[in-house]
Amino acid sequence: MNKVFPQGHNGNAAAGTKAVPGGAEGCSPLCCSRRRGTCLSASVLLLLATLAALIALVTILGLPPRMPGAQACVTLANRTGFLCHDRRSCIPASGVCDGIRTCAHGEDEEEGLCRDVPRSLPSFLVAHCGDPASWIYADQKCDGINSCGDCSDELSPVTVCPPCGPGWWHCPSTVFKYCDCIPRSLCRDRVQHCSDWSDEYSCPGP
């Protein structure tokens, strides 16, 4: 007599096994819960924990400073300057891209600012000479020194400068370094610095 086995019992136990909804199969490695809602809640909690950690880190270290674009300022010598990112330090225009990091964070020597001088410099830092191919820093204009080599940075029509300051004597200079003003310290030194000799006979001296 042959024994009759229940339908489906053919040696393959899996064939008669009924799947259990929410079982271990298909559960993510991060969450072994059988309930999808519990898994979702755990993911949200993990996200919130990560966000809280980032907020705590920012609170401790502080936000990185916002780096503004190049801004002009006026130095203590009343000359055109470059404002450092600390918004307190004002360095002379001629101190930008001179190979020396003067600002605390070195922004006066940044590659983007100095990669193609003078084209890469902000216009407020640059002054042009009578020769279009020549340029100087803005703080070198009207400083009494012949920086352009043809006095176009000190004399009209290229540049209009105020009269000689209190420490200067107005005269046509015979010295290449100066234009129409010489330092009063050169007066009365028995050396001609003015073509009319006024530095020796008219200038009252320092």
Side-chain angles (χ1 to χ4, degrees):
M1 181 177 178
N2 295 328
K3 187 175 181 180
V4 180
F5 291 95
Q7 186 178 359
H9 187 79
N10 57 2
N12 186 356
T17 304
K18 185 178 181 181
V20 179
E25 293 183 359
C27 184
S28 71
L30 182 63
C31 176
C32 293
S33 172
R34 293 185 178 183
R35 299 181 59 186
R36 184 176 299 177
T38 304
C39 229
L40 181 61
S41 298
S43 299
V44 172
L45 287 175
L46 179 61
L47 179 62
L48 291 176
T50 303
L51 183 60
L54 288 175
I55 293 175
L57 186 63
V58 169
T59 302
I60 295 172
L61 301 180
L63 288 171
R66 184 177 64 89
M67 298 304 180
Q71 297 185 35
C73 58
V74 178
T75 66
L76 294 177
N78 199 32
R79 312 296 298 174
T80 301
F82 174 86
L83 185 64
C84 297
H85 287 172
D86 61 11
R87 304 189 68 81
R88 295 188 302 272
S89 305
C90 182
I91 68 172
S94 54
V96 177
C97 299
D98 63 348
I100 302 173
R101 293 164 61 97
T102 307
C103 291
H105 301 289
E107 54 268 26
D108 55 310
E109 300 297 323
E110 286 182 351
E111 181 180 355
L113 190 67
C114 305
R115 68 176 181 274
D116 187 20
V117 174
R119 295 179 183 86
S120 56
L121 293 174
S123 58
F124 68 84
L125 292 177
V126 178
H128 296 282
C129 300
D131 179 359
S134 301
W135 68 279
I136 60 173
Y137 284 99
D139 64 329
Q140 297 173 322
K141 183 175 69 174
C142 297
D143 64 350
I145 307 299
N146 182 17
S147 301
C148 283
D150 59 0
C151 283
S152 58
D153 55 312
E154 302 296 321
L155 303 175
S156 60
V158 177
T159 307
V160 178
C161 297
C164 301
W168 297 77
W169 175 253
H170 177 70
C171 75
S173 175
T174 61
V175 182
F176 177 80
K177 183 179 180 179
Y178 306 109
C179 297
D180 64 346
C181 299
I182 66 168
R184 286 187 179 236
S185 59
L186 298 179
C187 293
R188 306 281 178 169
D189 64 351
R190 299 183 181 181
V191 177
Q192 182 187 13
H193 298 96
C194 297
S195 60
D196 59 3
W197 285 92
S198 61
D199 56 312
E200 297 301 314
Y201 296 105
S202 302
C203 177

